[in-house]
Amino acid sequence: TNFDLVEIAKSKEPIDKVDVWLGKENELDVYVDQDIYKIIKKAQKRLLKITTKYLGPVEAPIEKDQVIGKLRVVYDENLLGEYELLASKSIKKVNIFTRLLKSLNYLIWGDV
């Protein structure tokens, strides 16, 4: 009775969005391929931290189910688990003219 089963993530459901560089879309949903649950003390739930870690923005082209980063589950400064974040769909690279314009825009304004 002092512990709770906490749902961290459901399999195949979007967890977060990541930025995409030079892709036909600017954002991409990421997910894990398994259900993630942890047993946590009821009074200590605030010590549970879930973070997504990736080097971004992720450069296109991106294939569906490509590993994009990691989902980290930390409880009271202890790493409970690290899971692969997968791309929810494929994203193609934009054409050469759009790449050139986006690159110039980035150099001048710093926008991604």
Side-chain angles (χ1 to χ4, degrees):
T1 60
N2 293 331
F3 293 88
D4 258 349
L5 182 65
V6 178
E7 177 185 298
I8 306 295
K10 284 272 203 190
S11 175
K12 308 285 185 195
E13 288 187 9
I15 293 174
D16 200 2
K17 290 184 181 292
V18 298
D19 293 325
V20 177
W21 173 245
L22 299 177
K24 294 205 178 217
E25 295 182 38
N26 293 329
E27 288 185 329
L28 171 70
D29 287 330
V30 290
Y31 69 92
V32 290
D33 62 353
Q34 59 186 311
D35 292 337
I36 303 171
Y37 294 94
K38 298 294 176 191
I39 297 174
I40 304 294
K41 287 183 180 179
K42 284 186 180 183
Q44 304 288 319
K45 282 186 184 179
R46 70 184 186 292
L47 297 175
L48 182 67
K49 293 184 175 100
I50 297 115
T51 57
T52 55
K53 186 176 180 180
Y54 70 98
L55 294 175
V58 181
E59 189 171 349
I62 300 169
E63 297 297 321
K64 184 177 181 352
D65 297 329
Q66 177 180 330
V67 176
I68 301 297
K70 299 279 184 187
L71 176 75
R72 294 177 50 106
V73 181
V74 178
Y75 177 71
D76 195 21
E77 306 301 324
N78 297 318
L79 181 64
L80 295 181
E82 199 168 62
Y83 307 90
E84 291 182 338
L85 288 173
L86 306 173
S88 61
K89 61 183 172 181
S90 297
I91 296 182
K92 293 183 179 183
K93 193 175 245 189
V94 293
N95 64 39
I96 187 71
F97 300 111
T98 307
R99 281 194 302 242
L100 182 63
L101 285 173
K102 284 189 174 198
S103 296
L104 285 173
N105 188 40
Y106 176 73
L107 288 173
I108 295 170
W109 304 107
D111 293 343
V112 174

